[in-house]
Amino acid sequence: GMAVALAVALAVALALLAADAAKDPLLNVCMDAKHHKSEPGPEGKLYEQCSPWKDNACCTANTSLEAHRDQSYLYNFNWNHCGVMPAKCKRHFIQDTCLYECSPNLGPWIEQVDSSWRRERILHVPLCREDCEEWWEDCKDALTCKENWHKGWNWATGTNRCPWGSPCRPFSEVFPRPKDLCEKIWSNSFRYSPEPRGSGRCIQMWFDPAQGNPNVAVAKYYAWRKRSSPAQPGTVAPGSGPATRALPCSVLLLLPLGLLLLPEGLGALGTRGS
């Protein structure tokens, strides 16, 4: 009976270990930012371009609706700062907002940031080649006055206006290549990836939810790579998230139980001969 009890205790310990390991701090997480939920979950009513994330989302239905508005309360950001942005261009910015707000698969690229409106941001997310190229292609004739849209605007009126002395020019002049658009517009939130959609090596802004979310596997791959490469100076070592630090707890809790359940002869081994 004791042997069975011991086996059960060990099985429980292993199950708890597996459950802890499943809570990878880089996977299936929401960043700590202005509108994100604290953890991802299903959202039945996500609006239009945000709907691919409805099975597991970091955004609420209301956030998804606001992502589609011209003058959304999300960031009070005006897409039409150089005249009306063409619809074929704007849809990429809406999709970009949906990815940022709704995706639970950006964990490997979340960085701490000291900002008034968010504590975390994304940095160098490898965006699939086609996503960058189509975004650039559909926006190349649209007009803007700035390369980095994160900062440097004139906010005197409460909404972003072009700073004094920055004329409106076509995107193709401000961003000569798709790589420039993807990498510079949100201060390196994205990195232009040479990899194609479906490669499992780049994040897709656009995907067909009927085929499942391709970014789940991509996040797993980069989480594994982040763990297996030596930590860069200034970055948190991948194994130091709260979930990984908690890993031994379940084992420690179960050790006394395992020792109690040990057959008498085994338990006495340590004391014999002292």
Side-chain angles (χ1 to χ4, degrees):
M2 279 295 184
V4 173
L6 179 60
V8 168
L10 286 173
V12 170
L14 287 170
L16 281 168
L17 258 178
D20 262 346
K23 284 187 295 200
D24 186 319
L26 297 180
L27 298 177
N28 197 39
V29 289
C30 300
M31 76 185 96
D32 185 357
K34 195 173 180 181
H35 304 290
H36 288 71
K37 301 191 319 196
S38 57
E39 54 186 55
E43 287 287 335
K45 302 244 185 322
L46 290 190
Y47 190 68
E48 285 191 12
Q49 284 180 237
C50 294
S51 63
W53 286 273
K54 68 179 178 2
D55 292 340
N56 194 32
C58 285
C59 60
T60 61
N62 192 43
T63 297
S64 74
L65 180 65
E66 287 293 326
H68 292 72
R69 295 193 197 279
D70 266 358
Q71 194 64 43
S72 157
Y73 85 87
L74 292 179
Y75 315 103
N76 216 18
F77 193 88
N78 176 24
W79 304 119
N80 306 319
H81 51 265
C82 278
V84 177
M85 181 184 277
K88 69 174 182 176
C89 173
K90 191 189 293 160
R91 68 191 195 101
H92 292 277
F93 283 97
I94 292 169
Q95 196 70 9
D96 162 43
T97 303
C98 289
L99 175 74
Y100 172 80
E101 294 289 349
C102 305
S103 176
N105 313 121
L106 302 175
W109 304 279
I110 291 176
E111 300 276 329
Q112 303 296 310
V113 69
D114 186 23
S115 157
S116 59
W117 57 282
R118 58 180 182 180
R119 284 188 284 282
E120 291 181 334
R121 65 162 292 185
I122 44 171
L123 193 65
H124 304 310
V125 173
L127 203 60
C128 293
R129 186 177 71 216
E130 300 93 329
D131 289 60
C132 268
E133 288 171 356
E134 287 168 21
W135 190 358
W136 186 87
E137 191 59 39
D138 286 343
C139 289
K140 66 180 195 288
D141 302 324
L143 299 177
T144 186
C145 52
K146 281 181 57 44
E147 186 182 70
N148 184 342
W149 288 17
H150 261 152
K151 51 182 188 234
W153 295 97
N154 172 1
W155 288 94
T157 57
T159 185
N160 54 303
R161 294 252 171 114
C162 290
W164 184 252
S166 296
C168 292
R169 296 182 294 146
F171 268 54
S172 56
E173 284 181 31
V174 179
F175 307 106
R177 303 164 301 163
K179 179 180 167 74
D180 299 310
L181 171 62
C182 278
E183 296 184 356
K184 293 177 178 176
I185 196 158
W186 300 126
S187 44
N188 299 110
S189 293
F190 295 121
R191 171 174 71 76
Y192 172 82
S193 172
E195 302 288 350
R197 283 181 201 157
S199 63
R201 298 290 179 266
C202 60
I203 290 288
Q204 291 180 214
M205 210 158 73
W206 297 90
F207 63 89
D208 175 7
Q211 312 287 318
N213 180 344
N215 296 332
V216 174
V218 179
K220 279 186 184 159
Y221 170 74
Y222 281 97
W224 167 79
R225 260 188 51 175
K226 198 167 180 178
R227 288 204 182 345
S228 50
S229 67
Q232 306 296 313
T235 62
V236 178
S240 62
T244 10
R245 278 203 302 275
L247 204 75
C249 289
S250 50
V251 185
L252 291 172
L253 285 169
L254 280 150
L255 268 177
L257 176 64
L259 288 171
L260 280 173
L261 293 170
L262 275 174
E264 213 169 311
L266 284 175
L269 275 178
T271 51
R272 192 173 295 157
S274 59

